Amino acid sequence: QQQVKQSPQSLIVQKGGISIINCAYENTAFDYFPWYQQFPGKGPALLIAIRPDVSEKKEGRFTISFNKSAKQFSLHIIDSQPGDSATYFCAASKGTSGSRLTFGEGTQLTVNP
Amino acid sequence: DAGVIQSPRHEVTEMGQEVTLRCKPISGHNSLFWYRQTMMRGLELLIYFNNNVPIDDSGMPEDRFSAKMPNASFSTLKIQPSEPRDSAVYFCASSRHSGYGYTFGSGTRLTVV
């Protein structure tokens, strides 16, 4: 019930293309869904997050789409750039003190110039 | 804010030696997490603290691993004795609430030879 499944494991996109990473969760008590971005040699950094009262959140070229009934959420990166090449992790939690984030397995994104 | 500070950045040690990793969380954050990252297993939560109290240590691999948080501004993760399979990047993260808003440190890359 605590698992978060992420796909694909790796993704190669051409510059200017759209990158899409998907996650699915099981625990219906989850109410906070962040995405983290990790560059080589660095720790993961919060990129964007959503709560289930909205179906979409956009920040610049990054958008989270959320489907509560399907228990799925996804990260879309439009106009992908080589600088977006990194590992992306989805996560989920109850969003309250006393709970903790459960991370997906990660997706290695490569954007070719 | 200096962020989450981890030391050392790199550690190379011989099998059987004791290794101590250190973490200074962000001031005002009351939750602290220790993660291990490997290619095979991704991000694994080892242990986390709320208000300096260990809440969940179910991810600690075995008795060779121990973690302490003597005060709100310092935590250690100790491995004794170390083994080659402990080689990984160890991350510390902190947050105001254990359910969201994690800030990760830059990690300690541990190599046990």
Side-chain angles (χ1 to χ4, degrees), chain B residues 35-50:
Chain B
Y35 283 87
R36 178 171 67 178
Q37 186 174 39
T38 61
M39 288 293 292
M40 291 296 294
R41 301 174 69 89
L43 268 173
E44 300 176 273
L45 177 66
L46 300 178
I47 185 171
Y48 80 96
F49 297 82
N50 275 355

Side-chain angles (χ1 to χ4, degrees), chain B residues 77-88:
Chain B
L77 178 67
K78 184 176 294 185
I79 308 173
Q80 165 64 17
S82 57
E83 297 182 3
R85 59 188 167 131
D86 301 331
S87 297

Side-chain angles (χ1 to χ4, degrees), chain B:
Chain B
D1 197 329
V4 176
I5 299 173
Q6 291 188 246
S7 63
R9 285 299 312 274
H10 303 273
E11 177 79 37
V12 180
T13 190
E14 292 185 347
M15 182 174 63
Q17 296 298 306
E18 177 180 295
V19 176
T20 299
L21 311 181
R22 296 172 176 79
C23 176
K24 176 179 171 55
I26 291 174
S27 177
H29 283 192
N30 57 18
S31 295
L32 182 139
F33 308 82
W34 282 101
Y35 283 87
R36 178 171 67 178
Q37 186 174 39
T38 61
M39 288 293 292
M40 291 296 294
R41 301 174 69 89
L43 268 173
E44 300 176 273
L45 177 66
L46 300 178
I47 185 171
Y48 80 96
F49 297 82
N50 275 355
N51 297 315
N52 312 337
V53 176
I55 301 301
D56 184 354
D57 65 353
S58 60
M60 296 286 262
E62 48 199 272
D63 292 345
R64 297 185 298 107
F65 285 69
S66 63
K68 293 182 180 180
M69 191 165 186
N71 57 62
S73 59
F74 184 66
S75 177
T76 59
L77 178 67
K78 184 176 294 185
I79 308 173
Q80 165 64 17
S82 57
E83 297 182 3
R85 59 188 167 131
D86 301 331
S87 297
V89 181
Y90 291 81
F91 287 104
C92 175
S94 71
S95 70
R96 287 192 186 278
H97 303 282
S98 59
Y100 58 91
Y102 291 19
T103 300
F104 282 80
S106 296
T108 294
R109 180 173 294 277
L110 174 65
T111 304
V112 183
V113 298

